């Protein structure tokens, strides 16, 4: 049985199946979120069938591979809407900057108030940043690289789930404003969610995800100097 | 398939530059290079739009294995659940609200309602 679960076809197929199933269910009952349905379904399956994640990931890692080319492909919606986005770049930069600082301060602040240890606080600084940049920043600060990967994953999941509702609730109507908010708050996963709303949102979100990552890296340099 | 090859080529170029010491993630570098090539006219958007569309339509799927991987850190999460959960939730909402609100206000002031 182990050879069945550890065959690359298992993790690969089961993920595609869960995604197709969640997509179909989502079409029927819109309340079931595709990302949550897929991840939740797979997590429950692995836990109740006692399938080790490492065995699942032998096949599933082939799916993760496509994250690279998909990130590169984000250049297309950005290019397509460059005229609309381009004129607004200075204003969007102000918004992304404000959101980036807010993101880091509130993440560390709330964790501190909740009594989290220093290693957690240091790993919360890059919470909203795309995972590879977040890992670099966290290593620099002396946080836990494994922990920050979980934190960014959870951030993206939560941002993709509640982002569109929160933004609608507070009356954000402009596609560019919605896009940069999703990218700043929930990096690549937020961007993938924004793309489902519209290509222009996705393009703005791709811009925000890049700027927020680079900006957080730059802003943490003085923190590093202050506390080392 | 040619479109997919072009996208992979830029991804590979990003990986190369990253390996040579450029301090940005490989795929983000690839994205910036591809955007630059599109603006410069070296790559026509028609060559890659089908492949890019397919990748982007299913981008959420590509995050699934990493998110499922969170289950392997259940004990770590249980030990710090309040700080982690609270910090993430507050920070996600706060940055959504601030970024969205600032962008909406600035855009509306300068170009009128959407």
């Amino acid at each position: 049985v182990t050879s069945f679960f550890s065959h690359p076809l298992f993790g690969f197929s089961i993920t595609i199946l869960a995604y197709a199933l969640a997509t179909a269910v989502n079409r029927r009952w819109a309340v079931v979120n595709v990302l949550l349905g897929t991840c939740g379904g797979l997590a429950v399956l692995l836990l109740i069938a006692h399938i080790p994640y490492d065995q699942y990931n032998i096949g599933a890692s082939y799916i993760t591979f496509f994250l690279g080319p998909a990130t590169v492909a984000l250049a297309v919606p950005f290019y397509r809407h460059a005229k609309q986005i381009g004129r607004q770049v200075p204003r969007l930069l102000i918004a992304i900057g404000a959101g980036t600082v807010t993101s880091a301060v509130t993440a560390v602040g709330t964790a501190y108030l909740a009594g989290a240890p220093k290693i957690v606080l240091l790993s919360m600084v890059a919470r909203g940043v795309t995972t590879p940049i977040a890992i670099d920043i966290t290593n620099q600060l002396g946080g836990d690289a494994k922990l920050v990967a979980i934190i960014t994953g959870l951030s993206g999941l939560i941002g993709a789930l509640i982002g569109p509702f929160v933004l609608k609730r507070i009356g954000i109507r402009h596609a560019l404003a919605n896009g940069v908010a999703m990218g700043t708050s929930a990096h690549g996963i937020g961007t993938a969610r924004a793309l489902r709303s519209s290509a222009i949102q996705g393009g703005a979100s791709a811009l925000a995800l890049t700027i927020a990552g680079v900006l957080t890296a730059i802003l943490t340099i003085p923190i590093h100097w202050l506390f080392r | 398939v040619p479109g997919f090859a072009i996208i992979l080529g830029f991804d590979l170029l990003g990986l190369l530059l990253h390996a040579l010491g450029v301090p940005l993630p490989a795929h983000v570098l690839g994205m910036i290079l591809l955007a630059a090539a599109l603006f410069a006219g070296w790559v026509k958007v028609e060559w890659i739009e089908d492949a890019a569309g397919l990748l982007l339509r299913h981008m959420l799927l590509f995050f699934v294995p990493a998110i499922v991987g969170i289950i392997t850190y259940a004990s770590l999460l249980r030990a710090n659940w309040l700080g982690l959960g609270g910090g993430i939730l507050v920070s996600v909402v706060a940055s959504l609200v601030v970024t969205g609100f600032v962008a909406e206000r600035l855009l509306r002031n300068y170009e009128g309602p959407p």
Side-chain angles (χ1 to χ4, degrees):
Chain A
V1 184
T2 306
S3 69
F4 173 73
F5 291 134
S6 60
H7 194 282
L9 194 58
F10 173 74
F12 185 83
S13 322
I14 205 79
T15 309
I16 304 281
L17 277 169
Y19 177 71
L21 195 67
T23 306
V25 172
N26 171 265
R27 284 217 183 99
R28 188 91 167 71
W29 298 285
V31 279
V32 179
N33 181 279
V34 173
L35 187 62
L36 192 66
T38 312
C39 296
L42 286 169
V44 168
L45 177 76
L46 295 189
L47 290 174
I48 57 173
H50 295 289
I51 303 162
Y53 177 77
D54 289 339
Q55 283 184 16
Y56 159 76
N57 201 37
I58 292 170
S61 60
Y62 290 94
I63 292 169
T64 309
F65 166 81
F66 286 98
L67 208 48
T71 307
V72 174
L74 284 171
V76 171
F78 178 72
Y79 172 77
R80 284 250 148 129
H81 300 282
K83 264 201 205 100
Q84 271 160 292
I85 299 172
R87 272 185 299 137
Q88 309 295 354
V89 160
R91 276 154 225 149
L92 296 177
L93 286 183
I94 295 171
I96 297 165
T100 302
V101 174
T102 306
S103 177
V105 171
T106 53
V108 178
T110 310
Y112 176 78
L113 291 177
K118 193 180 172 194
I119 189 92
V120 172
L121 298 182
L122 289 172
S123 309
M124 286 293 267
V125 174
R127 174 211 68 76
V129 173
T130 184
T131 311
I133 300 185
I135 289 174
D136 281 353
I137 293 172
T138 306
N139 280 330
Q140 184 93 355
L141 288 172
D144 184 335
K146 232 180 247 160
L147 186 58
V148 79
I150 304 165
I151 291 172
T152 53
L154 279 173
S155 293
L157 182 65
I158 294 172
L161 286 183
I162 66 171
F165 297 101
V166 172
L167 292 167
K168 200 175 174 190
R169 190 74 201 237
I170 61 166
I172 307 303
R173 289 185 298 159
H174 206 295
L176 293 177
N178 276 294
V180 291
M182 290 298 286
T184 306
S185 182
H187 57 90
I189 308 179
T191 301
R193 178 65 187 83
L195 275 166
R196 292 197 154 219
S197 301
S198 71
I200 184 165
Q201 267 202 36
S205 190
L207 174 78
L209 124 89
T210 312
I211 303 292
V214 173
L215 200 60
T216 308
I218 295 170
L219 291 176
T220 45
I221 295 171
I223 301 178
H224 174 60
W225 278 87
L226 229 59
F227 290 102
R228 71 185 187 143
Chain B
V1 174
F4 203 67
I6 293 170
I7 291 169
L8 278 175
F10 276 90
D11 202 8
L12 200 62
L13 202 59
L15 193 66
L16 179 68
L17 287 183
H18 180 76
L20 292 175
V22 181
L24 277 177
H27 310 310
V28 175
L29 271 172
M31 171 178 72
I32 294 169
L33 292 171
L34 180 57
L38 284 166
F39 284 113
W42 297 333
V43 174
K44 295 268 169 280
V45 74
E46 296 80 40
W47 301 346
I48 54 170
E49 60 189 348
D50 287 348
L54 186 69
L55 286 167
L56 294 177
R57 234 183 346 273
H58 300 292
M59 194 169 176
L60 278 174
L61 167 67
F62 309 143
F63 285 103
V64 166
I67 295 174
V68 174
I70 293 172
I71 59 169
T72 55
Y73 296 97
S75 58
L76 197 73
L77 290 171
R78 219 172 292 135
N80 296 293
W81 67 273
L82 188 62
L84 288 172
I88 290 170
L89 192 64
V90 170
S91 172
V92 165
V93 173
S95 58
L96 277 168
V97 169
V98 169
T99 315
F101 195 71
V102 172
E104 179 92 355
R105 283 301 289 269
L106 290 173
L107 294 170
R108 194 170 282 171
N109 286 350
Y110 284 93
E111 65 167 29

PDB file of all heavy atoms in Angstrom, chain A residues 117-124 135 138 143-154, chain B residues 70 73 76-77 80 84 88:
ATOM      1  N   PRO A 117       6.465  34.285  21.763  1.00  0.00           N
ATOM      2  CA  PRO A 117       7.910  34.419  22.001  1.00  0.00           C
ATOM      3  C   PRO A 117       8.617  35.168  20.860  1.00  0.00           C
ATOM      4  O   PRO A 117       8.071  35.321  19.770  1.00  0.00           O
ATOM      5  CB  PRO A 117       8.386  32.965  22.075  1.00  0.00           C
ATOM      6  CG  PRO A 117       7.354  32.173  21.376  1.00  0.00           C
ATOM      7  CD  PRO A 117       6.063  32.902  21.564  1.00  0.00           C
ATOM      8  N   LYS A 118       9.848  35.603  21.144  1.00  0.00           N
ATOM      9  CA  LYS A 118      10.586  36.459  20.215  1.00  0.00           C
ATOM     10  C   LYS A 118      10.753  35.831  18.832  1.00  0.00           C
ATOM     11  O   LYS A 118      10.669  36.508  17.810  1.00  0.00           O
ATOM     12  CB  LYS A 118      11.966  36.786  20.823  1.00  0.00           C
ATOM     13  CG  LYS A 118      12.668  37.914  20.095  1.00  0.00           C
ATOM     14  CD  LYS A 118      14.029  38.218  20.716  1.00  0.00           C
ATOM     15  CE  LYS A 118      14.785  39.217  19.850  1.00  0.00           C
ATOM     16  NZ  LYS A 118      16.199  39.310  20.203  1.00  0.00           N
ATOM     17  N   ILE A 119      10.977  34.507  18.804  1.00  0.00           N
ATOM     18  CA  ILE A 119      11.202  33.836  17.516  1.00  0.00           C
ATOM     19  C   ILE A 119       9.961  33.951  16.628  1.00  0.00           C
ATOM     20  O   ILE A 119      10.054  34.108  15.411  1.00  0.00           O
ATOM     21  CB  ILE A 119      11.628  32.362  17.737  1.00  0.00           C
ATOM     22  CG1 ILE A 119      12.073  31.695  16.431  1.00  0.00           C
ATOM     23  CG2 ILE A 119      10.530  31.536  18.383  1.00  0.00           C
ATOM     24  CD1 ILE A 119      13.531  31.802  16.186  1.00  0.00           C
ATOM     25  N   VAL A 120       8.767  33.899  17.258  1.00  0.00           N
ATOM     26  CA  VAL A 120       7.522  34.062  16.500  1.00  0.00           C
ATOM     27  C   VAL A 120       7.386  35.504  16.014  1.00  0.00           C
ATOM     28  O   VAL A 120       7.039  35.755  14.860  1.00  0.00           O
ATOM     29  CB  VAL A 120       6.294  33.653  17.350  1.00  0.00           C
ATOM     30  CG1 VAL A 120       4.989  33.992  16.644  1.00  0.00           C
ATOM     31  CG2 VAL A 120       6.331  32.166  17.678  1.00  0.00           C
ATOM     32  N   LEU A 121       7.698  36.465  16.901  1.00  0.00           N
ATOM     33  CA  LEU A 121       7.596  37.882  16.522  1.00  0.00           C
ATOM     34  C   LEU A 121       8.481  38.189  15.316  1.00  0.00           C
ATOM     35  O   LEU A 121       8.050  38.831  14.365  1.00  0.00           O
ATOM     36  CB  LEU A 121       7.998  38.788  17.696  1.00  0.00           C
ATOM     37  CG  LEU A 121       7.149  38.688  18.967  1.00  0.00           C
ATOM     38  CD1 LEU A 121       7.638  39.680  20.018  1.00  0.00           C
ATOM     39  CD2 LEU A 121       5.678  38.930  18.654  1.00  0.00           C
ATOM     40  N   LEU A 122       9.718  37.688  15.355  1.00  0.00           N
ATOM     41  CA  LEU A 122      10.640  37.945  14.243  1.00  0.00           C
ATOM     42  C   LEU A 122      10.154  37.288  12.955  1.00  0.00           C
ATOM     43  O   LEU A 122      10.410  37.777  11.855  1.00  0.00           O
ATOM     44  CB  LEU A 122      12.042  37.433  14.588  1.00  0.00           C
ATOM     45  CG  LEU A 122      12.798  38.234  15.653  1.00  0.00           C
ATOM     46  CD1 LEU A 122      14.077  37.519  16.056  1.00  0.00           C
ATOM     47  CD2 LEU A 122      13.117  39.643  15.148  1.00  0.00           C
ATOM     48  N   SER A 123       9.431  36.176  13.100  1.00  0.00           N
ATOM     49  CA  SER A 123       8.937  35.466  11.926  1.00  0.00           C
ATOM     50  C   SER A 123       7.637  36.062  11.395  1.00  0.00           C
ATOM     51  O   SER A 123       7.150  35.663  10.351  1.00  0.00           O
ATOM     52  CB  SER A 123       8.724  33.986  12.252  1.00  0.00           C
ATOM     53  OG  SER A 123       9.882  33.449  12.855  1.00  0.00           O
ATOM     54  N   MET A 124       7.055  37.013  12.143  1.00  0.00           N
ATOM     55  CA  MET A 124       5.797  37.630  11.711  1.00  0.00           C
ATOM     56  C   MET A 124       6.023  38.872  10.847  1.00  0.00           C
ATOM     57  O   MET A 124       5.107  39.343  10.180  1.00  0.00           O
ATOM     58  CB  MET A 124       4.944  38.028  12.925  1.00  0.00           C
ATOM     59  CG  MET A 124       4.276  36.869  13.634  1.00  0.00           C
ATOM     60  SD  MET A 124       3.015  36.075  12.624  1.00  0.00           S
ATOM     61  CE  MET A 124       1.566  36.980  13.158  1.00  0.00           C
ATOM     62  N   ILE A 135      11.184  34.277   3.368  1.00  0.00           N
ATOM     63  CA  ILE A 135      12.185  33.402   3.977  1.00  0.00           C
ATOM     64  C   ILE A 135      13.530  34.130   4.088  1.00  0.00           C
ATOM     65  O   ILE A 135      14.194  34.087   5.131  1.00  0.00           O
ATOM     66  CB  ILE A 135      12.308  32.078   3.186  1.00  0.00           C
ATOM     67  CG1 ILE A 135      11.044  31.233   3.421  1.00  0.00           C
ATOM     68  CG2 ILE A 135      13.564  31.298   3.583  1.00  0.00           C
ATOM     69  CD1 ILE A 135      10.965  29.971   2.588  1.00  0.00           C
ATOM     70  N   THR A 138      13.285  36.743   6.896  1.00  0.00           N
ATOM     71  CA  THR A 138      13.232  36.123   8.219  1.00  0.00           C
ATOM     72  C   THR A 138      14.592  35.567   8.630  1.00  0.00           C
ATOM     73  O   THR A 138      15.004  35.696   9.788  1.00  0.00           O
ATOM     74  CB  THR A 138      12.158  35.023   8.231  1.00  0.00           C
ATOM     75  OG1 THR A 138      10.927  35.589   7.779  1.00  0.00           O
ATOM     76  CG2 THR A 138      11.962  34.459   9.618  1.00  0.00           C
ATOM     77  N   GLY A 143      14.713  35.023  12.512  1.00  0.00           N
ATOM     78  CA  GLY A 143      13.481  34.281  12.804  1.00  0.00           C
ATOM     79  C   GLY A 143      13.603  32.844  12.335  1.00  0.00           C
ATOM     80  O   GLY A 143      14.700  32.360  12.051  1.00  0.00           O
ATOM     81  N   ASP A 144      12.458  32.152  12.272  1.00  0.00           N
ATOM     82  CA  ASP A 144      12.434  30.747  11.896  1.00  0.00           C
ATOM     83  C   ASP A 144      11.882  30.615  10.472  1.00  0.00           C
ATOM     84  O   ASP A 144      10.723  30.930  10.213  1.00  0.00           O
ATOM     85  CB  ASP A 144      11.549  29.984  12.898  1.00  0.00           C
ATOM     86  CG  ASP A 144      11.536  28.483  12.643  1.00  0.00           C
ATOM     87  OD1 ASP A 144      11.786  28.059  11.492  1.00  0.00           O
ATOM     88  OD2 ASP A 144      11.273  27.729  13.601  1.00  0.00           O
ATOM     89  N   ALA A 145      12.730  30.150   9.542  1.00  0.00           N
ATOM     90  CA  ALA A 145      12.350  30.099   8.127  1.00  0.00           C
ATOM     91  C   ALA A 145      11.182  29.139   7.884  1.00  0.00           C
ATOM     92  O   ALA A 145      10.310  29.401   7.062  1.00  0.00           O
ATOM     93  CB  ALA A 145      13.544  29.698   7.275  1.00  0.00           C
ATOM     94  N   LYS A 146      11.160  28.021   8.636  1.00  0.00           N
ATOM     95  CA  LYS A 146      10.074  27.055   8.470  1.00  0.00           C
ATOM     96  C   LYS A 146       8.754  27.667   8.930  1.00  0.00           C
ATOM     97  O   LYS A 146       7.720  27.522   8.301  1.00  0.00           O
ATOM     98  CB  LYS A 146      10.379  25.793   9.287  1.00  0.00           C
ATOM     99  CG  LYS A 146      10.290  24.521   8.470  1.00  0.00           C
ATOM    100  CD  LYS A 146      10.599  23.321   9.340  1.00  0.00           C
ATOM    101  CE  LYS A 146      11.893  22.654   8.910  1.00  0.00           C
ATOM    102  NZ  LYS A 146      12.471  21.812   9.960  1.00  0.00           N
ATOM    103  N   LEU A 147       8.847  28.375  10.074  1.00  0.00           N
ATOM    104  CA  LEU A 147       7.651  29.005  10.643  1.00  0.00           C
ATOM    105  C   LEU A 147       7.093  30.060   9.696  1.00  0.00           C
ATOM    106  O   LEU A 147       5.880  30.148   9.494  1.00  0.00           O
ATOM    107  CB  LEU A 147       8.002  29.630  11.997  1.00  0.00           C
ATOM    108  CG  LEU A 147       6.854  30.216  12.812  1.00  0.00           C
ATOM    109  CD1 LEU A 147       5.803  29.165  13.107  1.00  0.00           C
ATOM    110  CD2 LEU A 147       7.381  30.800  14.117  1.00  0.00           C
ATOM    111  N   VAL A 148       7.967  30.854   9.062  1.00  0.00           N
ATOM    112  CA  VAL A 148       7.463  31.926   8.203  1.00  0.00           C
ATOM    113  C   VAL A 148       6.782  31.349   6.956  1.00  0.00           C
ATOM    114  O   VAL A 148       5.817  31.924   6.451  1.00  0.00           O
ATOM    115  CB  VAL A 148       8.561  32.952   7.825  1.00  0.00           C
ATOM    116  CG1 VAL A 148       9.451  32.453   6.730  1.00  0.00           C
ATOM    117  CG2 VAL A 148       7.908  34.257   7.381  1.00  0.00           C
ATOM    118  N   ALA A 149       7.245  30.187   6.509  1.00  0.00           N
ATOM    119  CA  ALA A 149       6.587  29.561   5.356  1.00  0.00           C
ATOM    120  C   ALA A 149       5.149  29.162   5.707  1.00  0.00           C
ATOM    121  O   ALA A 149       4.242  29.294   4.879  1.00  0.00           O
ATOM    122  CB  ALA A 149       7.378  28.343   4.889  1.00  0.00           C
ATOM    123  N   ILE A 150       4.944  28.696   6.953  1.00  0.00           N
ATOM    124  CA  ILE A 150       3.585  28.371   7.394  1.00  0.00           C
ATOM    125  C   ILE A 150       2.766  29.644   7.540  1.00  0.00           C
ATOM    126  O   ILE A 150       1.598  29.704   7.142  1.00  0.00           O
ATOM    127  CB  ILE A 150       3.629  27.649   8.767  1.00  0.00           C
ATOM    128  CG1 ILE A 150       4.504  26.413   8.679  1.00  0.00           C
ATOM    129  CG2 ILE A 150       2.235  27.299   9.246  1.00  0.00           C
ATOM    130  CD1 ILE A 150       4.880  25.871  10.040  1.00  0.00           C
ATOM    131  N   ILE A 151       3.407  30.680   8.107  1.00  0.00           N
ATOM    132  CA  ILE A 151       2.700  31.947   8.334  1.00  0.00           C
ATOM    133  C   ILE A 151       2.261  32.563   7.002  1.00  0.00           C
ATOM    134  O   ILE A 151       1.119  33.004   6.869  1.00  0.00           O
ATOM    135  CB  ILE A 151       3.600  32.930   9.127  1.00  0.00           C
ATOM    136  CG1 ILE A 151       3.793  32.426  10.561  1.00  0.00           C
ATOM    137  CG2 ILE A 151       3.002  34.328   9.133  1.00  0.00           C
ATOM    138  CD1 ILE A 151       4.802  33.201  11.373  1.00  0.00           C
ATOM    139  N   THR A 152       3.144  32.559   5.997  1.00  0.00           N
ATOM    140  CA  THR A 152       2.747  33.138   4.711  1.00  0.00           C
ATOM    141  C   THR A 152       1.658  32.285   4.055  1.00  0.00           C
ATOM    142  O   THR A 152       0.747  32.814   3.439  1.00  0.00           O
ATOM    143  CB  THR A 152       3.940  33.297   3.749  1.00  0.00           C
ATOM    144  OG1 THR A 152       4.606  32.040   3.635  1.00  0.00           O
ATOM    145  CG2 THR A 152       4.916  34.340   4.218  1.00  0.00           C
ATOM    146  N   GLY A 153       1.752  30.967   4.201  1.00  0.00           N
ATOM    147  CA  GLY A 153       0.722  30.087   3.650  1.00  0.00           C
ATOM    148  C   GLY A 153      -0.639  30.367   4.266  1.00  0.00           C
ATOM    149  O   GLY A 153      -1.634  30.523   3.554  1.00  0.00           O
ATOM    150  N   LEU A 154      -0.672  30.461   5.602  1.00  0.00           N
ATOM    151  CA  LEU A 154      -1.937  30.765   6.294  1.00  0.00           C
ATOM    152  C   LEU A 154      -2.446  32.153   5.927  1.00  0.00           C
ATOM    153  O   LEU A 154      -3.646  32.354   5.725  1.00  0.00           O
ATOM    154  CB  LEU A 154      -1.727  30.688   7.822  1.00  0.00           C
ATOM    155  CG  LEU A 154      -1.760  29.300   8.450  1.00  0.00           C
ATOM    156  CD1 LEU A 154      -1.376  29.386   9.921  1.00  0.00           C
ATOM    157  CD2 LEU A 154      -3.153  28.686   8.310  1.00  0.00           C
TER     158      LEU A 154
ATOM    159  N   ILE B  70       0.822  22.549   5.717  1.00  0.00           N
ATOM    160  CA  ILE B  70       0.694  23.160   7.046  1.00  0.00           C
ATOM    161  C   ILE B  70       0.321  22.104   8.098  1.00  0.00           C
ATOM    162  O   ILE B  70       0.713  22.222   9.260  1.00  0.00           O
ATOM    163  CB  ILE B  70      -0.348  24.318   7.003  1.00  0.00           C
ATOM    164  CG1 ILE B  70       0.194  25.463   6.138  1.00  0.00           C
ATOM    165  CG2 ILE B  70      -0.661  24.832   8.403  1.00  0.00           C
ATOM    166  CD1 ILE B  70      -0.808  26.565   5.864  1.00  0.00           C
ATOM    167  N   TYR B  73       2.770  20.785  10.650  1.00  0.00           N
ATOM    168  CA  TYR B  73       3.282  21.639  11.721  1.00  0.00           C
ATOM    169  C   TYR B  73       2.233  21.902  12.784  1.00  0.00           C
ATOM    170  O   TYR B  73       2.243  22.927  13.448  1.00  0.00           O
ATOM    171  CB  TYR B  73       3.794  22.958  11.140  1.00  0.00           C
ATOM    172  CG  TYR B  73       4.966  22.742  10.240  1.00  0.00           C
ATOM    173  CD1 TYR B  73       4.797  22.648   8.861  1.00  0.00           C
ATOM    174  CD2 TYR B  73       6.242  22.565  10.766  1.00  0.00           C
ATOM    175  CE1 TYR B  73       5.873  22.408   8.028  1.00  0.00           C
ATOM    176  CE2 TYR B  73       7.321  22.320   9.951  1.00  0.00           C
ATOM    177  CZ  TYR B  73       7.131  22.243   8.586  1.00  0.00           C
ATOM    178  OH  TYR B  73       8.184  22.001   7.769  1.00  0.00           O
ATOM    179  N   LEU B  76       3.465  22.871  16.297  1.00  0.00           N
ATOM    180  CA  LEU B  76       4.013  24.225  16.322  1.00  0.00           C
ATOM    181  C   LEU B  76       2.889  25.253  16.366  1.00  0.00           C
ATOM    182  O   LEU B  76       2.942  26.247  17.089  1.00  0.00           O
ATOM    183  CB  LEU B  76       4.870  24.438  15.068  1.00  0.00           C
ATOM    184  CG  LEU B  76       5.847  25.595  15.078  1.00  0.00           C
ATOM    185  CD1 LEU B  76       7.005  25.273  15.991  1.00  0.00           C
ATOM    186  CD2 LEU B  76       6.350  25.862  13.671  1.00  0.00           C
ATOM    187  N   LEU B  77       1.844  24.982  15.577  1.00  0.00           N
ATOM    188  CA  LEU B  77       0.707  25.902  15.526  1.00  0.00           C
ATOM    189  C   LEU B  77      -0.055  25.891  16.842  1.00  0.00           C
ATOM    190  O   LEU B  77      -0.482  26.929  17.332  1.00  0.00           O
ATOM    191  CB  LEU B  77      -0.245  25.514  14.383  1.00  0.00           C
ATOM    192  CG  LEU B  77       0.283  25.756  12.972  1.00  0.00           C
ATOM    193  CD1 LEU B  77      -0.649  25.146  11.937  1.00  0.00           C
ATOM    194  CD2 LEU B  77       0.424  27.255  12.718  1.00  0.00           C
ATOM    195  N   ASN B  80       1.534  28.024  19.615  1.00  0.00           N
ATOM    196  CA  ASN B  80       1.507  29.489  19.489  1.00  0.00           C
ATOM    197  C   ASN B  80       0.243  29.983  18.803  1.00  0.00           C
ATOM    198  O   ASN B  80       0.248  31.016  18.143  1.00  0.00           O
ATOM    199  CB  ASN B  80       2.717  29.963  18.673  1.00  0.00           C
ATOM    200  CG  ASN B  80       4.016  29.659  19.351  1.00  0.00           C
ATOM    201  OD1 ASN B  80       4.327  30.215  20.393  1.00  0.00           O
ATOM    202  ND2 ASN B  80       4.769  28.735  18.790  1.00  0.00           N
ATOM    203  N   LEU B  84      -0.046  33.490  16.599  1.00  0.00           N
ATOM    204  CA  LEU B  84      -0.013  33.290  15.143  1.00  0.00           C
ATOM    205  C   LEU B  84      -1.357  33.611  14.503  1.00  0.00           C
ATOM    206  O   LEU B  84      -1.446  34.422  13.589  1.00  0.00           O
ATOM    207  CB  LEU B  84       0.377  31.842  14.818  1.00  0.00           C
ATOM    208  CG  LEU B  84       1.824  31.454  15.067  1.00  0.00           C
ATOM    209  CD1 LEU B  84       2.002  29.947  14.889  1.00  0.00           C
ATOM    210  CD2 LEU B  84       2.746  32.200  14.100  1.00  0.00           C
ATOM    211  N   ILE B  88      -1.969  36.992  12.391  1.00  0.00           N
ATOM    212  CA  ILE B  88      -2.231  36.863  10.955  1.00  0.00           C
ATOM    213  C   ILE B  88      -3.582  37.485  10.596  1.00  0.00           C
ATOM    214  O   ILE B  88      -3.682  38.294   9.673  1.00  0.00           O
ATOM    215  CB  ILE B  88      -2.182  35.378  10.514  1.00  0.00           C
ATOM    216  CG1 ILE B  88      -0.739  34.860  10.583  1.00  0.00           C
ATOM    217  CG2 ILE B  88      -2.731  35.206   9.102  1.00  0.00           C
ATOM    218  CD1 ILE B  88      -0.610  33.357  10.413  1.00  0.00           C
TER     219      ILE B  88
END
